[in-house]
Amino acid sequence: MSLLSYLINGISLGSVYAIIALGYTMVYGIARMLNFAHGDVIMVGGYAALTMMLSYNANPLIAVLTAIVVCTVLGIVIEAVAYRPLREAASPLAVLITAIGVSYLLQNVVLLAFGPNPKSFQSVIPFPDLKLADGALNISAETIVTIASCIVIMIVLTTFINKTKAGQAMLAVSEDKGAAQLMGINVNKTIALTFAIGSGLAAVAGVLLCSSYPSLSPYTGSMPGIKAFVAAVFGGIGSIPGAMIGGIILGIIEILGKAYISSQLADAIVFAVLIIVLLVKPTGLLGKKIQEKV
């Protein structure tokens, strides 16, 4: 029964990583850039929800919606101010360094606004835990909602990409920005929409993460952001199903590593598995080899 419990917790943690990884994989797949400030957007979403609940006594649903709006606007602003001017930069390092700078900027702004001490996060899940097998297996409400949210988000996002005009525009931009622009697609708006969706999902992930692990600090998003990036690479960066598969596998590996090997070595095990997978399949589990144009 304990193994089943660990697997469920692993799927729950992996679902959070998968939701975060969607932001990485969408931005890379469409704009061909890595937004390393994405992990800190998670943290901003957590603070937005916490502020609404503590300062304005808002109910959890309003707090979550506020966090989504704040992070969506933040994602659009980051793309317009920090990344768009560098989109045609000669070196990809310019975007990477800018992303790191934006990450530290967000951390320090929150540090000045809320202080360095971790804050206790109030769960936004109002449902009771689920007890099975005469109470031998206890599944928290946060776990159930997190897994369900991941599944719903994947279905909605996949439908949006494949069935809507905006989604088709994203696919066209991901294939060839120049050709898409010649076909009348507004590339800037399409990439801004991608950042908006990814950042909104980061807010959801931040709230779910803090509800399951109720502590929030200016550095809360750093390690989950890195692990979600690992999940995106693991599944095949640029692949939406790959982000989900990579996130869930990563979460299971981490929880089982903590339970059966060592909690101190769990992160090292996660990164070691990534290295092994990339040695065998450099494009990730579902990634496709991209032909460079000459």
Side-chain angles (χ1 to χ4, degrees), residues 221-247:
S222 298
M223 186 53 73
I226 292 172
K227 289 179 180 177
F229 173 69
V230 170
V233 175
F234 186 81
I237 193 162
S239 168
I240 290 177
M244 182 177 182
I245 294 172

Side-chain angles (χ1 to χ4, degrees), residues 21 24-26 28-29 32-34 229 231-239 283-284 286-288 290:
Y24 282 113
T25 207
M26 285 183 67
Y28 180 81
R32 289 291 182 267
M33 63 176 64
L34 296 173
F229 173 69
V233 175
F234 186 81
I237 193 162
S239 168
T283 56
L286 299 182
K288 297 178 181 178
I290 298 175

Side-chain angles (χ1 to χ4, degrees), residues 4-279:
L4 180 59
S5 178
Y6 291 142
L7 287 174
I8 293 172
N9 289 335
I11 293 172
S12 175
L13 179 61
S15 296
V16 174
Y17 290 156
I19 296 171
I20 303 170
L22 287 172
Y24 282 113
T25 207
M26 285 183 67
V27 169
Y28 180 81
I30 293 169
R32 289 291 182 267
M33 63 176 64
L34 296 173
N35 178 22
F36 278 115
H38 192 61
D40 298 287
V41 177
I42 302 165
M43 171 267 297
V44 171
Y47 273 102
L50 183 64
T51 300
M52 289 299 295
M53 288 188 289
L54 293 183
S55 300
Y56 299 98
N57 200 27
N59 66 55
L61 179 59
I62 298 298
V64 173
L65 292 176
T66 302
I68 293 173
V69 171
V70 168
C71 289
T72 299
V73 173
L74 179 62
I76 294 172
V77 171
I78 289 173
E79 190 278 329
V81 174
Y83 297 147
R84 188 178 300 177
L86 297 174
R87 199 178 296 155
E88 304 301 328
S91 172
L93 283 176
V95 178
L96 181 61
I97 293 170
T98 301
I100 295 171
V102 172
S103 173
Y104 280 111
L105 174 64
L106 292 177
Q107 287 180 13
N108 283 276
V109 168
V110 173
L111 189 65
L112 290 172
F114 295 95
N117 296 326
K119 297 185 181 298
S120 179
F121 192 90
Q122 177 184 343
S123 176
V124 300
I125 312 300
F127 309 117
D129 294 348
L130 179 64
K131 297 183 183 296
L132 301 174
D134 294 328
L137 179 61
N138 182 57
I139 305 175
S140 68
E142 288 80 11
T143 295
I144 297 170
V145 171
T146 298
I147 295 173
S149 297
C150 180
I151 294 172
V152 171
I153 286 171
M154 285 299 305
I155 294 172
V156 171
L157 190 59
T158 302
T159 304
F160 172 80
I161 294 292
N162 293 324
K163 301 296 184 181
T164 67
K165 187 176 181 180
Q168 293 297 306
M170 288 179 179
L171 291 176
V173 172
S174 70
E175 289 293 330
D176 192 318
K177 291 188 186 69
Q181 197 162 15
L182 290 174
M183 294 297 292
I185 295 172
N186 190 320
V187 173
N188 287 335
K189 286 185 177 180
T190 301
I191 293 177
L193 178 61
T194 304
F195 270 83
I197 293 173
S199 298
L201 294 178
V204 174
V207 171
L208 293 173
L209 179 67
C210 292
S211 294
S212 298
Y213 304 91
S215 179
L216 180 62
S217 79
Y219 310 105
T220 291
S222 298
M223 186 53 73
I226 292 172
K227 289 179 180 177
F229 173 69
V230 170
V233 175
F234 186 81
I237 193 162
S239 168
I240 290 177
M244 182 177 182
I245 294 172
I248 290 175
I249 293 176
L250 203 72
I252 293 174
I253 291 172
E254 181 176 339
I255 294 296
L256 292 180
K258 287 180 178 178
Y260 293 107
I261 301 176
S262 169
S263 59
Q264 296 178 335
L265 293 177
D267 292 344
I269 294 169
V270 166
F271 291 112
V273 170
L274 171 70
I275 292 171
I276 293 170
V277 169
L278 292 183
L279 286 174

